[in-house]
Amino acid sequence: MNPMTEPAKAPRPALLSPQLPLMLFDQVSCGLLICDGEARLRFFNRIARCELVAGRLIRMQGNLLSPAHGARGDLLTALRAAALRGRRSLVQLAREGDQLLLTTLPFDVPGGEHGLVLIVLGRRQACTDLDLELLGKAYGLTLAERRVLAALMGDATPTEIAERHAVKLS
């Protein structure tokens, strides 16, 4: 047995609650959806729900996932390819200055339903405020340096950042 290629067999701990796995998915910072090859939604987490409700690039019609009106990108073809042929795809949905990257992955449930697809939505924000704070602490950044980093992550230019803080660019 090669420990680099085979996962270690460890006993699974008893779950605290049957709802725990679903609650964990809501803590993940990217959108997760599960649907079949016909785009019937079976599950989505909190971040995915926000995307569906906003309806900017994806939406839910009844229990069906679909691209929003005017969104470019071939989501439905990628869904079918994952469900029927086991093909992974990266799809870019775009419309008028807005874009969303998503990945479609085959997701067969052992001993259960086949032909399901896991859709992982790209993050709209590169990192959260907490991520920035942790990065700043890890590298010993001062408060001013962390503010500059946050502004850069928000697509501000160095000139705009200097103006906001009433300092010279130098």
Side-chain angles (χ1 to χ4, degrees):
M1 180 163 112
N2 182 350
M4 298 302 286
T5 58
E6 293 188 32
K9 305 262 181 169
R12 290 187 176 220
L15 293 177
L16 300 175
S17 157
Q19 295 299 314
L20 183 61
L22 297 176
M23 292 166 50
L24 289 172
F25 283 115
D26 276 341
Q27 298 305 311
V28 174
S29 62
C30 62
L32 300 173
L33 305 102
I34 297 174
C35 64
D36 62 21
E38 300 300 317
R40 283 185 293 271
L41 282 163
R42 304 297 176 87
F43 170 83
F44 48 85
N45 70 352
R46 177 183 51 86
I47 299 289
R49 183 181 321 113
C50 291
E51 282 290 339
L52 292 167
V53 168
R56 292 167 31 190
L57 292 166
I58 59 171
R59 62 185 177 163
M60 186 169 63
Q61 294 181 294
N63 70 337
L64 294 177
L65 175 68
S66 69
H69 180 69
R72 295 179 309 279
D74 208 350
L75 172 60
L76 300 178
T77 299
L79 282 175
R80 287 185 199 102
L84 300 175
R85 296 195 312 266
R87 183 173 178 205
R88 297 170 176 234
S89 299
L90 181 64
V91 177
Q92 179 181 21
L93 296 177
R95 179 180 70 190
E96 300 167 14
D98 192 10
Q99 71 173 0
L100 178 65
L101 290 174
L102 53 92
T103 305
T104 57
L105 305 161
F107 191 74
D108 289 337
V109 178
E113 192 170 353
H114 297 286
L116 295 177
V117 179
L118 172 65
I119 301 169
V120 181
L121 303 179
R123 293 173 67 172
R124 291 215 175 252
Q125 183 181 1
C127 60
T128 66
D129 292 339
L130 180 59
D131 294 334
L132 282 174
E133 285 300 314
L134 291 172
L135 182 66
K137 293 269 189 207
Y139 286 95
L141 300 180
T142 65
L143 177 60
E145 290 168 331
R146 291 194 311 263
R147 286 180 180 159
V148 169
L149 178 59
L152 288 170
M153 293 300 297
D155 289 334
T157 66
T159 302
E160 292 168 340
I161 297 168
E163 289 171 3
R164 277 186 213 161
H165 298 285
V167 297
K168 292 184 179 180
L169 182 59
S170 61

